[in-house]
Amino acid sequence: MPATPNALAAAHRARTIATIARTRAANPAPVPNADGRTALTDIATLLDDAATVLETDEPGTWDGIVITNTLPFDASVVLHAADEIAAAHPAIGFPPRFTQYVTAPVLGNEVELPPSLLPGGPVLIAREGDLFARLLAVHGHLRLMPPARDTTALLEGAFTLHWKHAQLAAAEAAMTDRPANRPAVPVAVEIATPGTTMALRRAHEAYGPTVTYGLTHRRLPCHVSDQGVTHTADRMVSHHGATVATCDDDTHRAAAAVAARELYDSLG
């Protein structure tokens, strides 16, 4: 039995992204780091392997009906390996879970945006917001594409936007790392969890511009993620009422204090 149209569409996406990876690896200008070029080449090889499996694996059946929404195990393994390489090398411009583009025709999954660069100032927020809006538009077109349609141009557009986001991240990191541009971390005073907005306002009047308190309902993610992996927030940092959720990691708490202050400043 030949591969299903969904599997063939996923294979086409895998080979298209493999070509994007090899093209980027062959050009020393965008990825001058040898490790980055090696990572791109390895990703391309894995994607080609996944495409071969998708093109040749015989689909299963259930009660005479062909199953179209499952990935072959071998394809899943190599796609996971490709994601791990991308997550370990963010400078190559591939998001940590980029193989969602490949699996979407089979699994019907959404494609996530790359991890946000927030906290940041108004200019960074605007530039990243523009990139995210354009990515969401591409994702919408891809979602509506029938399996038989050629998605090459849309995928090339998406990965160009991912590359621009990676460049924006690198520029922001370089700017932030300059000693004169490193923001001082506000001192966050520990307070009891306020029950109302008015109680929080009174706490600021009593304890200063930045306070922190525990969350009673832990449903929020920490604003800092590690290679796309989020942590559950267990406290909030507030700067004059502009709040940012954080886990109890000292580094994340300090970043939350800076983010809350920048959020407050951007709202002014």
Side-chain angles (χ1 to χ4, degrees), residues 24 93 95 101 113-114 127-128 130-139 154-168:
R24 192 170 294 179
Y101 286 102
L113 294 173
R127 292 179 66 185
E128 184 177 58
D130 174 65
L131 289 174
F132 281 178
R134 292 157 68 186
L135 267 172
L136 287 172
V138 173
H139 293 173
L154 286 172
L155 290 170
E156 290 173 345
F159 277 81
T160 296
L161 292 170
H162 282 300
W163 174 239
K164 290 181 178 180
H165 188 263
Q167 291 177 309
L168 183 63

Side-chain angles (χ1 to χ4, degrees), residues 32-248:
N33 184 287
D35 288 342
R37 291 196 295 275
T38 299
L40 287 166
T41 301
D42 291 344
I43 284 173
T45 299
L46 290 168
L47 290 174
D48 281 342
D49 290 344
T52 298
V53 174
L54 289 162
E55 291 162 346
T56 59
D57 190 77
E58 186 171 331
T61 59
W62 178 262
D63 213 12
I65 299 174
V66 177
I67 300 172
T68 61
N69 62 348
T70 59
L71 283 175
F73 175 75
D74 290 346
S76 298
V77 170
V78 294
L79 290 175
H80 178 70
D83 276 340
E84 287 189 327
I85 294 173
H89 298 83
I92 67 174
F94 277 40
R97 299 190 63 194
F98 78 91
T99 64
Q100 289 176 335
Y101 286 102
V102 177
T103 60
V106 176
L107 302 181
N109 56 268
E110 295 293 327
V111 180
E112 299 172 3
L113 294 173
S116 175
L117 303 179
L118 298 178
V123 174
L124 176 63
I125 293 171
R127 292 179 66 185
E128 184 177 58
D130 174 65
L131 289 174
F132 281 178
R134 292 157 68 186
L135 267 172
L136 287 172
V138 173
H139 293 173
H141 287 302
L142 283 168
R143 189 165 51 248
L144 297 174
M145 278 285 194
R149 290 289 298 276
D150 186 351
T151 54
T152 300
L154 286 172
L155 290 170
E156 290 173 345
F159 277 81
T160 296
L161 292 170
H162 282 300
W163 174 239
K164 290 181 178 180
H165 188 263
Q167 291 177 309
L168 183 63
E172 178 68 11
M175 181 68 70
T176 304
D177 195 49
R178 296 174 185 171
N181 293 328
R182 291 173 193 160
V185 178
V187 176
V189 180
E190 186 80 28
I191 63 169
T193 302
T196 64
T197 303
M198 181 59 69
L200 177 59
R201 184 180 303 172
R202 287 172 180 161
H204 280 296
E205 292 173 353
Y207 298 106
T210 308
V211 297
T212 181
Y213 52 89
L215 291 172
T216 54
H217 299 290
R218 299 183 181 180
R219 299 175 182 173
L220 297 174
C222 176
H223 80 295
V224 176
S225 63
D226 295 323
Q227 301 293 350
V229 177
T230 58
H231 312 278
T232 301
D234 53 19
R235 63 192 314 98
M236 193 74 80
V237 175
S238 172
H239 186 83
H240 289 306
T243 57
V244 175
T246 178
C247 63
D248 207 32

